Amino acid sequence: MKIKRKTQLDSDIPTASMPDIIFMLLIFFMVTTVLREYSGLPISLPKAKRIEKLKSKRHTSHIWVSKDGLISIEDKLYASDGIRHVMYEKRVTDPQLVISLKADERAKMGLISDIHTELRKADALKLNYSSKTAID
Amino acid sequence: MSKGKRRFRGGDIPTSSMADIAFLLLIFFLVTTTIDMDKGLGMVLPAEGEEIEINKKNILNCLINSSGSVLIGGEGVEVRNLSKTVRQKLAENDKLVISVKAHKAATYRDYVAVIDQLKRANATRISIAESN
């Protein structure tokens, strides 16, 4: 006697919700992409070997220092004693703030030292000397 | 002469290619997103007014002059040999704090090179003295 299968199973993968899934992914990437970039100052970064990656772009704030001693934060120029206020405001809104110092390799240490002092006064203590990977 | 009424073929919008269109958009955003993260030497500055007294014999002074020469513990040393020297000193005394002091006119490049060498020697206690 032949046994008849009672129910016919539908073996198709449902593709109707496929665009929804992909749109979700698309929206996720669109939202997480940070498009707000500052142009900064033209600099050539120093090279180093023991470098580490900055964990999050959202908790990073950049300070550009050119070889002529110009200091730029978010495309605004500051004198070295003006950094304190800007960075303090940022530190208050984001306690996880990491400062990425994008200084030209020809910048003078006197200025960098002033920035150190200012950052200490602003309580923005996590600093990262932005540098390129050295090959030797 | 009339052509005659066309047969009604159904008014559905084709949705089968929707996934392809969405995929294309997704791939476009994936490609144009730059995930190149910032890289650099990490450093934690001491808080304002947080000065700790350190025993003199646990301090290793590292001085950088305006021409980029490095003096460590009173001896001149080539920057590229610095990590070796520091590693030896750390092996002798693991409580060693390295105090980096750069001349005002020293370049940032030399300073970063020194910090990099110290990091290569696995020196964790690095102190930055004020330039003068």
Side-chain angles (χ1 to χ4, degrees):
Chain A
M1 198 185 106
K2 210 178 176 187
I3 303 164
K4 215 179 171 186
R5 191 184 258 176
K6 273 175 191 161
T7 48
Q8 191 70 46
L9 280 170
D10 192 9
S11 60
D12 279 344
I13 299 165
T15 52
S17 56
M18 192 82 137
D20 304 335
I21 297 161
I22 293 152
F23 263 121
M24 284 278 278
L25 274 169
L26 176 66
I27 288 159
F28 171 76
F29 276 99
M30 282 171 73
V31 168
T32 53
T33 305
V34 183
L35 288 174
R36 188 189 45 153
E37 283 283 342
Y38 297 105
S39 47
L41 295 168
I43 49 161
S44 66
L45 290 170
K47 292 172 193 74
K49 199 90 193 287
R50 262 307 165 91
I51 55 176
E52 47 207 76
K53 276 183 184 168
L54 275 170
K55 281 177 192 80
S56 162
K57 236 178 181 174
R58 282 186 196 279
H59 299 299
T60 307
S61 182
H62 298 283
I63 299 178
W64 276 272
V65 180
S66 77
K67 67 174 198 293
D68 312 309
L70 294 170
I71 302 163
S72 161
I73 303 162
E74 292 175 0
D75 284 353
K76 286 199 270 293
L77 289 174
Y78 289 91
S80 63
D81 53 353
I83 302 169
R84 192 183 315 178
H85 308 290
V86 190
M87 283 305 150
Y88 185 72
E89 292 290 317
K90 283 183 178 286
R91 182 70 221 302
V92 168
T93 44
D94 181 12
Q96 287 174 275
L97 188 73
V98 179
I99 310 292
S100 173
L101 186 65
K102 287 180 174 283
D104 193 285
E105 55 180 9
R106 289 158 291 181
K108 294 279 173 275
M109 274 314 290
L111 184 64
I112 306 290
S113 184
D114 290 347
I115 293 169
H116 282 155
T117 316
E118 287 294 309
L119 291 178
R120 284 182 65 189
K121 285 196 172 122
D123 200 36
L125 303 174
K126 275 180 252 166
L127 184 62
N128 188 290
Y129 300 118
S130 195
S131 46
K132 286 189 274 191
T133 318
I135 306 147
D136 59 15
Chain B
M1 195 185 100
S2 74
K3 279 180 182 168
K5 213 178 190 180
R6 277 198 186 166
R7 238 190 310 148
F8 182 67
R9 283 178 188 164
D12 279 342
I13 298 164
T15 52
S16 58
S17 57
M18 193 76 142
D20 304 335
I21 297 162
F23 252 128
L24 273 171
L25 275 168
L26 176 65
I27 287 159
F28 172 76
F29 274 97
L30 274 169
V31 169
T32 53
T33 305
T34 46
I35 324 172
D36 93 286
M37 296 295 272
D38 286 307
K39 293 171 291 189
L41 295 164
M43 178 69 78
V44 180
L45 297 173
E48 177 80 334
E50 190 185 88
E51 264 118 45
I52 324 153
E53 288 279 323
I54 303 165
N55 197 329
K56 236 183 185 163
K57 65 178 181 210
N58 289 336
I59 296 180
L60 182 62
N61 276 306
C62 180
L63 306 165
I64 309 163
N65 77 358
S66 53
S67 57
S69 307
V70 179
L71 197 73
I72 188 146
E75 304 161 42
V77 73
E78 288 271 322
V79 178
R80 59 174 186 277
N81 300 327
L82 188 62
S83 69
K84 215 191 283 167
T85 317
V86 172
R87 201 170 281 142
Q88 277 171 5
K89 301 232 184 214
L90 279 171
E92 288 163 23
N93 182 0
D94 61 344
K95 286 197 208 104
L96 210 60
V97 176
I98 298 137
S99 165
V100 181
K101 200 169 190 175
H103 188 270
K104 254 191 178 154
T107 60
Y108 181 61
R109 180 192 348 199
D110 298 325
Y111 173 72
V112 166
V114 167
I115 298 287
D116 189 32
Q117 289 288 331
L118 295 180
K119 292 229 168 206
R120 274 197 233 186
N122 294 321
T124 44
R125 296 167 205 216
I126 303 166
S127 127
I128 306 152
E130 304 267 311
S131 298
N132 49 25

